[in-house]
Amino acid sequence: MSTSDSPAERRPFRPDVLDLGDVLLRPWGRALDLPGGTVAALTAAAADQEIARWNPLHDAVHPAGAEAYLDRADQGWADGGTACFAVTDRADGRLCGNVALIWTDRGEGVAMVGYWLLAAARGRGLATRVTDAVTRWGVRTAGVRRIELYHAVGNDSSCRVAARAGFPYEGTLRASYRHGDGPYHDEHLHARLASDPGAAG
């Protein structure tokens, strides 16, 4: 039996820093210090139209909502159920985006991954790299067995990220999720297994 097949090996997520060379994945929370202020960086990200369209960040456009987001991130780390990372530029520390791994059924070893990037960080393969990195980290450190990735059917860029990051398409979920634009969207389900080639490297 492999590590990821053993329920005893499915562990809580614990704060960590992942070094990808040009960017660092750093835990979101009150202790995170970003240039110009973490709350200001988060409110600016929440106001980005593409991020707002596909992600549940609408409350974070206001400082109180951004602070609540940071508190939820701290709580997620504290209870081990959510690993929420700020993607930051190594050179200047500025925010590039977000990637998160969430236990959806820890007993069965199933987690979900999600991400968003600021406009300046798009178009260079960064979403693929951070998704791959946090997936490998979850398998290695927490015994995740299956990682699922969902995106609205109209979100073509996320579909490409999923394919490049090794998450094959598994099906379409009808009227599955209410995104930032209001209505429920059909979603594509992609997934990656710990047993897939390279998933635990």
Side-chain angles (χ1 to χ4, degrees), residues 75-92:
Q75 185 59 49
W77 285 112
D79 64 27
T82 301
C84 193
F85 293 94
V87 181
T88 62
D89 188 275
R90 172 184 279 282
D92 61 17

Side-chain angles (χ1 to χ4, degrees), residues 18-175:
L18 309 186
D19 187 344
L20 275 60
D22 56 335
V23 296
L24 298 175
L25 275 55
R26 299 161 57 196
W28 279 109
R30 291 282 188 165
L32 181 65
D33 184 18
L34 297 177
T38 301
V39 168
L42 187 52
T43 57
D48 178 283
Q49 289 187 349
E50 277 299 296
I51 293 173
R53 182 180 182 192
W54 303 121
N55 296 274
L57 271 185
H58 54 278
D59 290 344
V61 296
H62 305 292
E67 290 171 357
Y69 179 95
L70 297 176
D71 289 339
R72 289 193 299 272
D74 277 331
Q75 185 59 49
W77 285 112
D79 64 27
T82 301
C84 193
F85 293 94
V87 181
T88 62
D89 188 275
R90 172 184 279 282
D92 61 17
R94 294 192 180 277
L95 183 64
C96 298
N98 167 84
V99 63
L101 194 63
I102 303 165
W103 277 121
T104 54
D105 190 334
R106 186 171 158 193
E108 293 297 328
V110 182
M112 175 180 69
V113 67
Y115 47 82
W116 49 259
L117 292 179
L118 291 166
R122 296 172 198 150
R124 64 187 206 218
L126 187 55
T128 301
R129 292 172 55 214
V130 300
T131 300
D132 177 68
V134 81
T135 296
R136 292 170 183 265
W137 174 84
V139 171
R140 185 178 69 252
T141 68
V144 180
R145 179 187 66 83
R146 173 181 166 89
I147 305 92
E148 297 177 339
L149 188 161
Y150 303 84
H151 66 81
V153 170
N155 190 347
D156 295 335
S157 61
S158 270
C159 204
R160 291 190 293 270
V161 167
R164 289 194 297 257
F167 287 74
Y169 169 75
E170 292 190 346
T172 298
L173 308 176
R174 296 180 302 156

